[in-house]
């Protein structure tokens, strides 16, 4: 039995797939206008863990993740510029080139984090006709109205609006209708935005030339592949109050019934106690971490040690500890691998149960990691323990079976150069120079361990 925290009902609920044995899930993918940062990537580490836990429990998955390559404005609530067009102007490229470039980088990041990729990846720009059909359906049912800058959804026709974030249509607070005073209610949102002639990404529609609203993208692409009733929808917590409320409104009104059974949201990665975000300029990318000598999987390890729905504060000390712990874990597992000894089936079954109970309890990877460490540290060396550790790695996806040299390979090139010069100095018996170089390596946070065959560089 898998229990998951459903943000819609605010309870831990047992997963009961609509089709026994098959889980249909949708993940809000990235807006590809800039480098994904490690905060963004936590959303996909979470998706990965969920997929892996489902597979560990023998479920089949039909998963969809979108790529938002048009329509996401700089403000979630339909004001500001299109992020893609803005990036294109800044970088003197077309929005299509921007989308292609950053989509490739996003996939490279997924691969580096060993993320299990959904069965379907859908690009918003490839679903425009279906989006137009979706809007026509809402229009036919009387949920839309047209104003100067687009076709809007009329939230007053959906009194249940706000369930996910616990707000009602009266809770407008200070959300005055500012820029767009033709909107009937501040929560009304654009389904189709009219754009000027010089806008590059634009399509014909029954209402005029324009581009889709961001929210309609997800409702259309999920419905197209998963149908009008599916099990799980995931995304980052920042999508909850606007994007996901709007998806629910569109879905429930178009189909006349609830479409998504469970909503799951990952919490933020914080930096110095505040949100890490592109707009605040306090972001790190996986590539930057790698240049500094941290492997992407150390970052994944860092994420897995806090449950997906708790905030985590990113610090380099914590990342360094994660890298060290991951290297140690691999070493311990490798020691079990080379043993011929056996472990009793009862002991193995106990660990397996503890592990399964942890991951099936709302993906408690932190507890599950504790079970793995307790097992590989506490039990005497045995090949059975090795096999069970690698079985647990089906959930973590940390490549625990790969030799730790892979992790070493992310040592910065400057450090590698110094280590090589030091080795050459030692071979030519220039010990004074070798000591100077050792000190320089140490100042950069690394140490070198010598053996007969050569040397190994380690983070201190
Ligand atoms: P975006 O490309 O802005 O649509 O974001 C991609 C995903 O990253 C979404 O699911 C966001 O909710 C999520 N996200 C954005 N910032 C953070 C953060 N600091 N920590 C965790 N998730 C985030
Ligand atoms: Zn979405």
């Amino acid at each position: 039995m898998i229990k998951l925290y459903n943000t819609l009902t605010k309870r831990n609920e047992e997963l009961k797939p609509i089709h026994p044995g098959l889980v249909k899930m949708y993940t809000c993918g990235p807006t590809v206008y800039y480098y994904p940062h490690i905060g963004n990537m936590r959303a996909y580490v979470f998706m990965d863990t969920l997929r892996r836990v489902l597979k560990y429990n023998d479920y089949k998955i039909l998963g969809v993740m979108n790529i938002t390559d048009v329509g996401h404005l700089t403000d979630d609530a339909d004001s500001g510029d299109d992020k893609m067009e803005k990036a294109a102007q800044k970088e003197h490229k077309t929005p299509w080139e921007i989308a292609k470039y950053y989509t490739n980088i996003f996939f490279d990041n997924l691969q580096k984090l060993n993320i299990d990729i959904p069965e379907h990846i859908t690009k918003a720009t490839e679903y425009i006709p279906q989006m137009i059909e979706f809007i026509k359906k809402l229009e036919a049912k009387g949920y839309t109205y047209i104003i100067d800058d687009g076709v809007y959804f009329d939230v007053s026709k959906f009194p249940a609006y706000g369930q996910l974030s616990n707000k009602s249509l009266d809770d407008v607070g200070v959300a005055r209708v500012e820029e767009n005073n033709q909107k009937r209610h501040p929560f009304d949102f654009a389904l189709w935005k009219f754009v000027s002639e010089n806008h590059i990404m634009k399509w014909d529609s029954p209402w005029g030339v324009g581009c889709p609203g961001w929210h309609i993208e997800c409702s259309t692409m999920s419905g197209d592949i998963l149908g009008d009733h599916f099990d799980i929808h995931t995304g980052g917590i920042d999508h909850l109050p606007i994007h996901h409320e709007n998806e629910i409104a569109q879905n429930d009104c178009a189909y006349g019934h609830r479409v998504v059974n469970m909503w799951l949201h990952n919490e933020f990665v914080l930096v110095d106690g505040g949100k890490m975000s592109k707009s605040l300029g306090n972001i790190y990318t996986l590539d930057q971490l790698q240049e500094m000598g941290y492997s992407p999987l150390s970052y994944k390890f860092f994420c897995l040690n806090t449950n997906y729905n708790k905030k985590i504060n990113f610090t380099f000390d914590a990342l360094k500890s994660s890298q060290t712990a991951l290297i140690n874990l691999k070493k311990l597992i490798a020691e079990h691998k080379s043993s011929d000894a056996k472990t009793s089936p009862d002991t193995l079954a106990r660990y397996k149960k503890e592990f399964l109970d942890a991951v099936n309890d709302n993906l408690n990877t932190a507890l599950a990691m504790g079970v793995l460490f307790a097992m590989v540290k506490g039990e005497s060396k045995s090949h059975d323990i090795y096999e069970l550790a690698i079985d647990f790695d089906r959930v973590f996806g940390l490549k625990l079976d790969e030799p730790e040299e892979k992790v070493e390979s992310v040592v910065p090139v400057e450090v590698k150069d110094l280590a090589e010069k030091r080795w050459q100095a030692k071979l030519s018996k220039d010990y004074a120079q070798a000591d100077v170089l050792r000190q320089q390596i140490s100042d950069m946070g690394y140490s070198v361990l010598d053996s007969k065959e050569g040397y190994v560089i380690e983070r201190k």
Side-chain angles (χ1 to χ4, degrees):
M1 179 172 83
I2 303 179
K3 283 201 162 179
L4 298 169
Y5 184 80
N6 187 350
T7 329
L8 187 65
T9 57
K10 320 273 178 287
R11 282 191 284 117
N12 269 327
E13 285 174 8
E14 185 184 340
L15 171 70
K16 291 183 182 148
I18 300 160
H19 304 276
L22 173 72
V23 177
K24 292 188 179 186
M25 63 181 265
Y26 183 85
T27 296
C28 280
T31 306
V32 283
Y33 72 106
Y34 197 56
Y35 297 97
H37 58 72
I38 55 172
N40 296 135
M41 295 317 292
R42 187 185 191 197
Y44 308 107
V45 168
F46 152 55
M47 173 196 76
D48 175 65
T49 307
L50 176 57
R51 289 178 55 84
R52 287 172 178 276
V53 167
L54 293 172
K55 287 185 177 177
Y56 198 75
N57 283 273
D58 295 328
Y59 283 109
K60 291 211 169 354
I61 304 174
L62 182 60
V64 182
M65 177 170 66
N66 69 295
I67 300 290
T68 295
D69 52 1
V70 65
H72 192 166
L73 303 186
T74 46
D75 183 299
D76 283 359
D78 303 318
S79 52
D81 304 313
D82 183 327
K83 290 185 177 187
M84 300 301 301
E85 297 261 338
K86 207 175 157 192
Q89 280 162 11
K90 199 168 143 213
E91 297 192 29
H92 306 292
K93 289 182 181 160
T94 67
W96 306 96
E97 286 165 343
I98 293 284
K100 193 166 174 215
Y101 180 73
Y102 291 112
T103 302
N104 285 342
I105 292 181
F106 174 67
F107 276 95
D108 183 56
N109 275 224
L110 293 181
Q111 199 210 336
K112 284 178 172 162
L113 289 166
N114 194 23
I115 283 172
D116 187 36
I117 294 178
E119 289 63 29
H120 294 264
I121 303 292
T122 57
K123 288 185 185 169
T125 48
E126 291 172 2
Y127 278 80
I128 305 292
Q130 291 90 327
M131 289 179 206
I132 291 173
E133 287 309 309
F134 202 115
I135 301 169
K136 276 162 78 178
K137 199 185 240 178
L138 289 171
E139 186 178 46
K141 291 187 168 192
Y143 288 107
T144 67
Y145 61 93
I146 299 176
I147 53 178
D148 285 352
D149 72 348
V151 182
Y152 277 75
F153 185 93
D154 185 350
V155 292
S156 68
K157 303 265 169 62
F158 182 57
Y161 188 86
Q163 255 184 304
L164 201 57
S165 51
N166 266 342
K167 65 179 175 222
S168 81
L169 288 176
D170 299 331
D171 296 338
V172 287
V174 287
R176 294 301 324 137
V177 188
E178 285 160 3
E179 290 172 37
N180 183 351
N181 57 16
Q182 290 182 316
K183 256 167 65 164
R184 293 179 187 166
H185 189 285
F187 296 165
D188 288 351
F189 55 91
L191 298 164
W192 186 261
K193 271 254 180 180
F194 302 137
V195 296
S196 61
E197 269 311 306
N198 56 15
H199 210 86
I200 300 162
M201 285 185 156
K202 54 181 186 292
W203 293 265
D204 277 335
S205 83
W207 313 280
V209 176
C211 64
W214 173 38
H215 321 296
I216 199 73
E217 298 183 357
C218 286
S219 287
T220 304
M221 291 184 275
S222 57
D224 200 71
I225 296 175
L226 303 177
D228 65 357
H229 194 194
F230 61 92
D231 301 296
I232 301 177
H233 191 308
T234 76
I237 195 85
D238 54 335
H239 287 349
L240 187 149
I242 299 178
H243 183 50
H244 291 164
E245 289 291 11
N246 295 352
E247 270 193 57
I248 291 176
Q250 296 165 153
N251 286 346
D252 291 18
C253 293
Y255 298 114
H257 59 79
R258 172 160 294 170
V259 172
V260 179
N261 280 359
M262 297 179 113
W263 286 85
L264 270 60
H265 292 96
N266 66 279
E267 256 295 353
F268 280 139
V269 175
L270 306 176
V271 189
D272 302 325
K275 187 192 165 192
M276 175 181 293
S277 80
K278 288 167 204 169
S279 48
L280 295 175
N282 61 356
I283 64 171
Y284 295 103
T285 64
L286 273 188
D287 285 355
Q288 283 171 327
L289 298 189
Q290 260 185 298
E291 280 160 21
M292 295 159 95
Y294 299 100
S295 71
L297 292 178
S298 308
Y299 176 69
K300 189 177 194 184
F301 183 94
F302 164 77
C303 290
L304 295 174
N305 273 288
T306 302
N307 287 352
Y308 76 92
N309 61 348
K310 300 271 179 299
K311 293 184 177 67
I312 26 176
N313 199 31
F314 175 80
T315 64
F316 281 100
D317 278 349
L319 185 62
K320 200 167 164 182
S321 307
S322 295
Q323 177 128 310
T324 309
L326 180 58
I327 291 172
N328 287 341
L329 179 60
K330 288 186 175 213
K331 274 186 188 156
L332 283 163
I333 291 173
E335 284 165 20
H336 284 283
K337 186 177 187 176
S338 47
S339 161
D340 294 332
K342 297 244 146 232
T343 303
S344 82
D346 284 355
T347 305
L348 295 170
R350 182 166 53 80
Y351 284 117
K352 174 106 182 176
K353 181 177 182 321
E354 279 179 30
F355 180 84
L356 200 59
D357 287 350
V359 296
N360 284 358
D361 180 11
N362 197 28
L363 320 180
N364 193 336
T365 48
L367 186 60
M369 193 66 82
V371 174
L372 173 59
F373 266 97
M375 179 177 89
V376 294
K377 273 188 180 167
E379 294 299 321
S380 46
K381 300 289 170 267
S382 109
H383 203 81
D384 294 331
I385 296 288
Y386 158 75
E387 277 179 3
L388 192 52
I390 298 309
D391 175 70
F392 292 173
D393 195 37
R394 284 164 55 207
V395 167
F396 298 132
L398 286 168
K399 301 193 177 176
L400 294 176
D401 204 15
E402 283 194 2
E404 66 182 283
E405 291 84 83
K406 291 252 172 183
V407 179
E408 298 289 352
S409 70
V410 298
V411 170
V413 273
E414 296 88 337
V415 176
K416 285 185 186 161
D417 284 351
L418 289 172
E420 187 51 34
K421 282 190 188 133
R422 178 189 159 274
W423 184 246
Q424 294 306 328
K426 243 189 105 173
L427 288 181
S428 50
K429 301 205 179 346
D430 184 353
Y431 297 114
Q433 175 66 0
D435 283 347
V436 170
L437 290 162
R438 178 190 280 281
Q439 187 56 47
Q440 287 178 10
I441 294 166
S442 171
D443 292 344
M444 293 177 82
Y446 290 83
S447 52
V448 269
L449 305 176
D450 292 340
S451 69
K452 269 185 248 124
E453 297 82 40
Y455 59 93
V456 178
I457 310 170
E458 281 194 342
R459 260 196 104 76
K460 288 204 292 187

